[in-house]
Amino acid sequence: MRIGELAARAGTTTRTLRYYESRGLLPAKRNGNGYRVYDEDDLKLLRQIRTLQDFGFDLEETRPFVECLRAGHPEGDTCPASLAVYRRKLDELDALIGELQAVRAQVGAQLVRAQRARDELAVEALAPGGPEPQCELGGILR
Amino acid sequence: MRIGELAARAGTTTRTLRYYESRGLLPAKRNGNGYRVYDEDDLKLLRQIRTLQDFGFDLEETRPFVECLRAGHPEGDTCPASLAVYRRKLDELDALIGELQAVRAQVGAQLVRAQRARDELAVEALAPGGPEPQCELGGILR
DNA sequence: GTAAGCCTTGACGCCGACGTCAAGGCAATC
DNA sequence: GATTGCCTTGACGTCGGCGTCAAGGCTTAC
């Protein structure tokens, strides 16, 4: 099959396939008139790449999987190098998720603090002079 | 103070300050010879920007905070527009964290699956012919 | 023969937040 | 007056993964 069909079958674009080839990730044979020609195995490689890309893997990180498949293994992720990428990615994800959760907590706390500061200013505007520390201010003031 | 001192006091670079100015975020007065001149309030604005940037806010998202400070409020995050940015960012963070956790789960499952596939192939290589479904294979085969 | 629909290579554009280099001006010090 | 160390503007580079356009070639259908 030619580049357009492969792209369509994998749900991507010809530009993407040419880009992968330029990176040495998905080289293609050529027919008489210079057109790229692909087979079913290439589709399998491409699907492996796309799946990992959807997971957020860098293109370079997909290379071990592709090479594993090209080496004849029925699946791209059973080779040691692929497993190593999985593990490294898990570590990265854990680290990133942890950082994001920390940021979320900080931003959440800032939001609460800023809202409380607003409420206090509003109360002061209503009853100027001093604070009236009762309770449930948030509920009353909306 | 001039640009170099402000940058140093905020732990950033002069290039960054000029970039902020080019974005209209942190305009500077000029002295006689054309040098940028800043005061303590500018340092406060800059620190607000940097804090939010460290949280992963886009530069544009810091603008309401800066304008809030410049409007005379003692803190940049008590204005409605700033609170709205906080809330939007919390939603974004929650969505992103959720996606990453889903990816993490998928990748983790793939790792387990791929490792099991390897182990089974290893067992077959040791005892060719048929499967020997005992237990603790992972432990024995390392 | 010509229009349509594939394909080719090459090259520039995009996004964000700056880094880095170039060429030159101003001020203080030796 | 010459060096040093600030400062100025302008402009190109970076990173990844492509999008998009240009100019042209091949094949098939009408």
Side-chain angles (χ1 to χ4, degrees), chain B residues 42-78:
Chain B
D42 291 319
L43 177 58
K44 193 172 179 182
L45 297 183
L46 180 52
R47 287 198 166 132
Q48 173 75 82
I49 297 172
R50 293 267 93 197
T51 298
L52 296 174
Q53 287 269 87
D54 289 345
F55 282 165
F57 284 53
D58 294 344
L59 208 48
E60 273 312 307
E61 293 177 320
T62 72
R63 197 178 293 273
F65 297 79
V66 173
E67 287 177 359
C68 187
L69 280 172
R70 205 175 273 122
H73 297 271
E75 313 199 50
D77 55 10
T78 49

Side-chain angles (χ1 to χ4, degrees), chain A residues 77 87 94 104 113 115, chain B residues 77 87 104 113 115:
Chain A
D77 56 10
R87 294 199 190 94
D94 288 339
R104 204 233 109 95
R113 193 197 46 66
Q115 274 177 331
Chain B
D77 55 10
R87 294 198 191 93
R104 205 234 108 96
R113 193 197 46 66
Q115 274 178 330

Side-chain angles (χ1 to χ4, degrees), chain B residues 8-30:
Chain B
R9 287 182 64 184
T12 182
T13 67
T14 61
R15 178 69 182 90
T16 295
L17 298 191
R18 294 197 188 95
Y19 177 65
Y20 290 171
E21 181 173 6
S22 79
R23 304 280 87 194
L25 206 59
L26 193 64
K29 292 169 188 161
R30 304 301 180 110

Side-chain angles (χ1 to χ4, degrees), chain B residues 72-104:
Chain B
H73 297 271
E75 313 199 50
D77 55 10
T78 49
C79 297
S82 307
L83 294 175
V85 173
Y86 272 159
R87 294 198 191 93
R88 190 156 43 80
K89 186 55 68 175
L90 284 178
D91 288 345
E92 286 176 20
L93 282 169
D94 288 341
L96 181 54
I97 290 169
E99 288 172 23
L100 290 177
Q101 284 172 336
V103 168
R104 205 234 108 96

